[in-house]
Amino acid sequence: MASLAAWNGPRSPPWVFKCYVINRPIAGSDEIATLVLVWLTFLGGAVAQRKRAHPSVSLFVQRLYPSAETYVDAATRLVEVFFFACICWQSVALFRLRRGEPSAGAGFDMALYPGALIVGVAASLLFAIGQLATVERRPLLVVLAGSVVLVALGALTTGLAGVRLAAINSTALLIVGFALLLILNAPLAVALGFPALLYLMILGGPNLLVLPQRLIAGADNFVLLAIPLFILAGALMETGGISRRLVDLAMAIVGHLRGGLAHVTVVAEILFSGISGSTTADVAAMGSLLIPSMERAGYGREEAVSIVSAASAMGILVPPCLLMVILATIADISVTALFLAGFLPAAVLAAALMLLIYVKARRQDWPVAARASWSGLGSATLHAIVPLMLPVLIFGSIFTGAATVTESAVLAVVYALILGVFVYRETPLAALPKLFLESAVLSAMSMWLIAGASVFTWLLARDQVPQVVSAMILAVSGQKWFFLVASVVIFTFFAALLEGFPAVII
């Protein structure tokens, strides 16, 4: 009965082992796991800041003259320094507030959460200052002087004209600030967080402590542990020879069709995306394997890249899918139900892509590969059986209730590690630390986006923007088809500019 009572709530991998094997669940294991995730987010974010790897939208800045681009670069780096400094300042205050408060389950000091933010953001601040020092002196001084003048003019205007800061439209401040920083090529996490900081500083209302609290809350979620785990699993499969064996199987099945390598890309993506759970891992694996092969076969580089990009869109449809994990978390939907719902649209998209490839291959006379023999097909199937057992393991554990999505992600990591290191021996042990670090940094970049969007969307919800948007849509039509069309239009706009995670969250 004790073990059954302990079953309620999220379950971490050590919990599963102790519950199933020795019947002694670990108290507070979910808290320990999410604390590790919070530290991973902010420490990995600092490494990403050092490498200037945080995602941004450079489309607009690339169209500027080089001289103007230096001024824009100076402005965005000043914003980063100010943003990190303010977070660090408020995180220290939150640390003092939470110090000595024990967690509910494991009993560790709750100050460890803001402690992660202090360490990670302080490191990010130091890296941002160092990067700011590399900016040319003249643009930096001009931008700095312009910022001081703007602040002074704003203060004078509000003081002399009697303009109340509360009269400023808070929603406009958030949206316009985000759009402006997006255009100026600021990191997406900063573009989401900095307008929220201005909202809290200028308009008042919630205490500034909301900023570090919401950043931590954005990363403090047990379900989100699946993100770094599936990203790591995808990286292990890419280096361990698993993706190559899946591509060989797809080549044996559809490689003989006209435009066969393009069809292989679609089929291989169906097989691989159901294992990696990450679109980034899909693009990296499929691109490195198939783009050079398509170029050698006579495909144009633009065509090859377009085919891989289009096929990789199924990475957010074929489960396990990281975006579905995010959507389930913010919309309070069953992850398992979303996973089951992803198969049908993935099949429709795959059929549409293969039909388009067939038509273009006929018109442009794309190359044809030799048909695989029965023995070749059998050999490819035999080599792919062990990798194909991974989705069976993942889905079987989830759908039978033996494991949560996060626990199934752990199984994927362990399975891919064993195959790559001990079975196929294509992943050397010496390469694992670098692989883990790269996966951690990539995961932290995604988690920083979620954390920044958490602050942004909390303020939008406070201003009841979702209710306003819903009322506007319903005022036009209450039909389901109209809501679907409106959603498609909105998501097309956001997804064209943003990474999938912040687009969905916003």
Side-chain angles (χ1 to χ4, degrees):
M1 291 300 293
S3 63
L4 287 175
W7 185 275
N8 296 324
R11 299 162 295 178
S12 65
W15 188 100
V16 174
F17 174 79
K18 296 199 72 175
C19 183
Y20 278 117
V21 180
I22 60 178
N23 197 30
R24 291 183 181 178
I26 301 174
S29 60
D30 56 316
E31 290 182 342
I32 297 172
T34 54
L35 178 63
V36 171
L37 179 62
V38 170
W39 277 87
L40 169 68
T41 298
F42 298 119
L43 289 181
V47 177
Q49 177 66 31
R50 178 177 177 270
K51 297 180 177 181
R52 300 292 296 176
H54 282 289
S56 60
V57 179
S58 59
L59 174 65
F60 306 102
V61 174
Q62 289 176 347
R63 299 177 182 273
L64 298 175
Y65 291 108
S67 56
E69 193 172 340
T70 56
Y71 287 89
V72 170
D73 187 47
T76 54
R77 300 201 184 198
L78 275 173
V79 167
E80 289 178 26
V81 169
F82 184 74
F83 178 65
F84 290 135
C86 288
I87 295 177
C88 200
W89 167 43
Q90 289 301 314
S91 298
V92 171
L94 183 61
F95 179 85
R96 292 172 179 169
L97 192 65
R98 305 297 298 272
R99 188 170 54 189
E101 177 187 343
S103 66
F108 57 75
D109 197 323
M110 291 295 289
L112 287 173
Y113 284 101
L117 194 57
I118 292 172
V119 175
V121 174
S124 298
L125 175 60
L126 293 176
F127 292 137
I129 292 173
Q131 291 157 358
L132 183 65
T134 63
V135 177
E136 295 180 20
R137 187 174 181 180
R138 178 184 171 84
L140 179 59
L141 292 176
V142 170
V143 171
L144 189 58
S147 302
V148 172
V149 169
L150 284 175
V151 172
L153 286 176
L156 285 173
T157 302
T158 54
L160 296 177
V163 177
R164 293 187 303 111
L165 292 177
I168 299 175
N169 188 294
S170 55
T171 304
L173 175 64
L174 287 173
I175 296 176
V176 172
F178 168 69
L180 182 61
L181 289 172
L182 199 68
I183 291 172
L184 294 179
N185 194 31
L188 287 175
V190 177
L192 289 164
F194 188 73
L197 172 64
L198 293 182
Y199 180 116
L200 297 171
M201 292 182 66
I202 296 175
L203 303 182
N207 193 287
L208 269 173
L209 285 175
V210 167
L211 184 63
Q213 285 176 335
R214 294 309 307 175
L215 285 172
I216 294 170
D220 181 17
N221 191 310
F222 183 82
V223 177
L224 296 181
L225 274 168
I227 292 176
L229 291 170
F230 275 129
I231 287 177
L232 176 58
L236 288 169
M237 286 182 279
E238 180 187 348
T239 59
I242 295 176
S243 56
R244 177 171 53 80
R245 286 168 172 81
L246 295 176
V247 169
D248 290 343
L249 175 61
M251 189 69 188
I253 295 173
V254 296
H256 60 279
L257 302 175
R258 183 163 296 280
L261 277 175
H263 290 294
V264 167
T265 304
V266 177
V267 175
E269 177 60 31
I270 294 172
L271 298 174
F272 187 72
S273 66
I275 298 176
S276 72
S278 167
T279 305
T280 304
D282 297 345
V283 172
M286 295 299 103
S288 60
L289 286 170
L290 290 168
I291 290 178
S293 299
M294 283 193 278
E295 287 184 301
R296 287 193 297 269
Y299 292 80
R301 183 168 184 81
E302 294 81 3
E303 289 176 336
V305 172
S306 298
I307 292 167
V308 171
S309 300
S312 297
M314 284 182 292
I316 62 172
L317 293 174
V318 179
C321 166
L322 301 185
L323 200 59
M324 289 183 183
V325 175
I326 301 298
L327 182 59
T329 303
I330 63 177
D332 194 21
I333 304 172
S334 167
V335 180
T336 304
L338 281 177
F339 279 5
L340 287 171
F343 287 108
L344 181 58
V348 172
L349 179 58
L353 281 174
M354 295 186 76
L355 178 61
L356 177 61
I357 288 170
Y358 175 79
V359 172
K360 288 182 68 67
R362 300 279 293 183
R363 289 181 177 178
Q364 301 180 16
D365 196 26
W366 285 0
V368 180
R371 181 187 292 270
S373 62
W374 286 107
S375 60
L377 178 59
S379 175
T381 304
L382 183 63
H383 285 101
I385 282 179
V386 176
L388 287 175
M389 288 302 296
L390 183 50
V392 175
L393 178 66
I394 293 173
F395 298 138
S397 61
I398 293 174
F399 297 152
T400 60
T404 65
V405 173
T406 303
E407 294 158 6
S408 70
V410 176
L411 294 175
V413 171
V414 174
Y415 194 88
L417 186 63
I418 292 174
L419 285 186
V421 175
F422 300 107
V423 178
Y424 298 143
R425 298 183 180 180
E426 296 189 21
T427 302
L429 288 173
L432 290 180
K434 182 181 179 182
L435 194 65
F436 289 162
L437 178 61
E438 291 175 348
S439 299
V441 172
L442 182 60
S443 303
M445 288 159 51
S446 301
M447 293 300 299
W448 249 108
L449 289 174
I450 297 170
S454 176
V455 186
F456 191 88
T457 53
W458 186 85
L459 292 173
L460 287 179
R462 182 178 182 270
D463 289 346
Q464 296 188 333
V465 174
Q467 290 84 345
V468 172
V469 174
S470 176
M472 291 172 58
I473 293 176
L474 291 175
V476 178
S477 175
Q479 298 295 321
K480 293 180 179 179
W481 67 265
F482 181 79
F483 175 80
L484 179 61
V485 171
S487 300
V488 169
V489 171
I490 293 172
F491 271 92
T492 300
F493 172 76
F494 275 101
L497 296 175
L498 301 177
E499 178 72 17
F501 291 165
V504 167
I505 292 172
I506 292 173

